[in-house]
Amino acid sequence: MTTDLAASLLLQRGGLRVTRQRIAVIESLADHRHVTADELVKLSAGVGISRQAAFVIVADLTRAHLLRRLDLPGQPARYELDLGDNHHHAVCTSCGRVTDVACVGTDVPCILPPHDLGMSIEVAEVLYRGLCSECRTSPPASRRATAPSRSRTDPVPPEGA
């Protein structure tokens, strides 16, 4: 959990005005990773953020490099605090749980294309898709056809770490 002071300092470093709505979004994302803008509205209910305001806030925070936007197939955009840690994601194709997966290397990006593309690669995003351990052991009939908003906050360490 982050404090109002820590959230305020983040906003100031990002060149953004400090507002109670922005602080509420940052604090919500510190406690809940991989959330949608609609989920942020619910998580920040005490501050009274409208749906439109949530979308404006996440866009502003993403442009300021304070948030990272995750575009997962078949799901609305999800957001997490951009902590500068180099990681990828795994998504369960049954329940929709999103899990952080640490990169094997420390270089950013941690993978490079096999040949020169004529551009400077800044980010390489890997998305692992499959069944989580819970869905793998549950009968197929009990699995959900669509992915709800579920997130796992503990990163999966690289092999041998």
Side-chain angles (χ1 to χ4, degrees):
M1 179 175 181
T2 183
T3 64
D4 282 5
L5 178 59
S8 297
L9 290 172
L10 266 176
L11 289 166
Q12 290 170 352
R13 268 189 256 145
L16 297 173
R17 191 167 52 94
V18 177
T19 66
R20 62 187 173 93
Q21 291 88 356
R22 287 177 175 163
I23 288 172
V25 166
I26 289 172
E27 289 178 343
S28 294
L29 285 164
D31 293 336
H32 306 277
R33 298 186 68 146
H34 315 126
V35 297
T36 66
D38 285 331
E39 290 168 335
L40 284 170
V41 171
K42 294 174 188 163
L43 290 169
S44 306
V47 180
I49 297 175
S50 70
R51 187 171 190 266
Q52 180 180 355
F55 279 95
V56 170
I57 291 168
V58 295
D60 290 345
L61 295 175
T62 301
R63 269 192 302 278
H65 302 287
L66 300 177
L67 298 188
R68 182 175 173 192
R69 179 184 164 128
L70 307 175
D71 291 309
L72 304 175
Q75 296 188 27
R78 296 182 173 280
Y79 299 89
E80 65 182 353
L81 289 176
D82 189 345
L83 303 174
D85 61 338
N86 195 23
H87 70 274
H88 301 293
H89 297 92
V91 63
C92 178
T93 55
S94 180
C95 71
R97 177 169 53 189
V98 179
T99 304
D100 287 343
V101 180
C103 286
V104 175
T106 56
D107 294 336
V108 177
C110 63
I111 56 174
L112 293 172
H115 57 80
D116 184 15
L117 299 174
M119 64 177 70
S120 173
I121 304 298
E122 298 172 358
V123 175
E125 294 182 2
V126 175
L127 178 63
Y128 299 94
R129 293 170 43 159
L131 292 175
C132 69
S133 58
E134 288 177 32
C135 290
R136 223 178 26 248
T137 58
S138 67
S142 67
R143 296 181 191 155
R144 295 191 187 118
T146 58
S149 56
R150 244 177 91 194
S151 178
R152 182 175 173 173
T153 58
D154 54 320
V156 176
E159 268 310 298

